[in-house]
Amino acid sequence: MSLPDFTDKIITFLNEQNMPAHIDAAVILGSGLGGFTEHIDNPHTIAYEDIPGMPVSSVQGHAGQLIFGDIDNHSVMAFSGRFHHYEGFSFEQAATPVYLSHALGADKLIISNAAGAINTSFSVGDLMVIKDVIRNNMTITPQGHQKYRYRHHQWVDDVRQMAADFGLVTQQGTYIYSKGPNYETKAEIRSFRRMGADAVGMSTAPELSEAARLELKSVAISLISNMAAGVTKGKLNHDEVKAAADSRKEDFAKLVKKLVAEL
Ligand code: HPA
């Protein structure tokens, strides 16, 4: 299946880097979750800025590195830092990690993000397995009108069971894409709740739709980093996102490691 032309240069470069013959899992690390890369053995780290043709992200909390290595003898590639549409990237560029995971033959893709809770029964620090997505803007599909079918909902129960196996309680829910970079207004959050959204974030939707089109097995997990605007008192800020991610990094790592091995 076709990949956008801009990925040619990146893929050619990566193929010249002595890549593993097979990749068991690709992982996209969301805001504040980059510390997961410490769990990768024998890391081969390439800065995005050293990869010809690779978009370079400017958001704080995103390292901008692609790491190849092993987790419990499974070969992985991890994207520490992603590309947001609000930074000026096209939806296609935002899906770059998906194209590269597909091109290098990853068996599955594990996507993570930080998100604000709209569902008032959620708490900061919860991990929500994404069951459905509200794209909030139909033009988000990077490849225009091509048909694809989401499949990530098929693995939601498996992911939650794998978490439960080591005592981790997770949430499941609907993720709504919001362009950003500003956080939402209280009225927007109220309207998103009426639409059926449980959590809101500024990424993941383009990645999930391209993973679906390319038939790359994918699951997505939101770390609830804050209650969305108006759900609780107080102003939202990026430090809060990082603090919440930090407080749950061990459980997050355990879950991703298990998904790498068993999903
Ligand atoms: N809104 C949008 N994106 C986010 C939020 C939020 O409240 N928290 C983390 N990413």
Side-chain angles (χ1 to χ4, degrees):
M1 246 174 281
S2 70
L3 299 183
D5 293 345
F6 79 88
T7 59
D8 290 352
K9 211 166 156 183
I10 309 175
I11 294 163
T12 305
F13 172 84
L14 291 177
N15 282 329
E16 287 164 357
Q17 305 303 304
N18 201 9
M19 291 290 104
H22 183 80
I23 294 188
D24 294 308
V27 185
I28 301 175
L29 297 165
S31 285
L33 295 168
F36 176 77
T37 56
E38 287 164 17
H39 298 268
I40 300 177
D41 298 327
N42 312 314
H44 172 191
T45 301
I46 312 175
Y48 289 170
E49 60 195 10
D50 294 334
I51 305 176
M54 189 79 167
V56 178
S57 171
S58 58
V59 183
Q60 27 157 281
H62 287 259
Q65 290 176 335
L66 173 53
I67 300 110
F68 293 89
D70 307 305
I71 293 180
D72 300 334
N73 294 321
H74 297 279
S75 97
V76 297
M77 64 192 288
F79 295 87
S80 182
R82 57 145 61 85
F83 313 102
H84 301 86
H85 183 58
Y86 69 71
E87 293 174 79
F89 297 119
S90 66
F91 287 123
E92 275 191 343
Q93 286 174 309
T96 304
V98 179
Y99 301 133
L100 302 184
S101 305
H102 173 79
L104 297 186
D107 287 343
K108 60 193 166 197
L109 172 64
I110 301 159
I111 301 174
S112 63
N113 62 46
I118 295 174
N119 185 325
T120 53
S121 72
F122 288 2
S123 305
V124 171
D126 281 357
L127 291 169
M128 181 189 91
V129 187
I130 296 181
K131 188 155 190 181
D132 211 340
V133 177
I134 301 175
R135 289 165 294 180
N136 208 12
N137 167 357
M138 298 305 280
T139 60
I140 197 168
T141 303
Q143 294 277 315
H145 301 290
Q146 297 197 31
K147 291 187 182 143
Y148 61 89
R149 180 183 298 208
Y150 282 120
R151 296 192 304 150
H152 56 270
H153 53 85
Q154 290 176 22
W155 298 290
V156 170
D157 290 346
D158 295 340
V159 174
R160 298 191 73 201
Q161 185 57 52
M162 284 178 205
D165 287 347
F166 66 89
L168 175 66
V169 177
T170 54
Q171 307 282 5
Q172 65 173 26
T174 295
Y175 176 92
I176 188 165
Y177 171 77
S178 177
K179 180 172 167 287
N182 50 304
Y183 287 116
E184 299 69 36
T185 65
K186 295 177 193 174
E188 283 163 352
I189 294 301
R190 283 197 302 274
S191 70
F192 290 173
R193 186 176 298 118
R194 289 193 187 115
M195 288 160 82
D198 296 295
V200 57
M202 304 173 193
S203 65
T204 303
E207 298 158 0
L208 275 176
S209 67
E210 282 303 78
R213 184 177 69 81
L214 296 168
E215 298 181 0
L216 174 58
K217 179 175 184 177
S218 51
V219 293
I221 299 165
S222 294
L223 176 106
I224 300 300
S225 56
N226 57 281
M227 302 310 282
V231 178
T232 49
K233 290 204 173 71
K235 251 176 119 178
L236 305 180
N237 66 65
H238 199 77
D239 292 341
E240 185 178 25
V241 173
K242 283 195 288 184
D246 256 12
S247 74
R248 295 312 302 276
K249 63 182 182 195
E250 296 308 326
D251 278 335
F252 173 77
K254 259 192 188 168
L255 177 57
V256 174
K257 282 167 126 178
K258 205 162 158 74
L259 298 177
V260 165
E262 295 176 26
L263 186 71

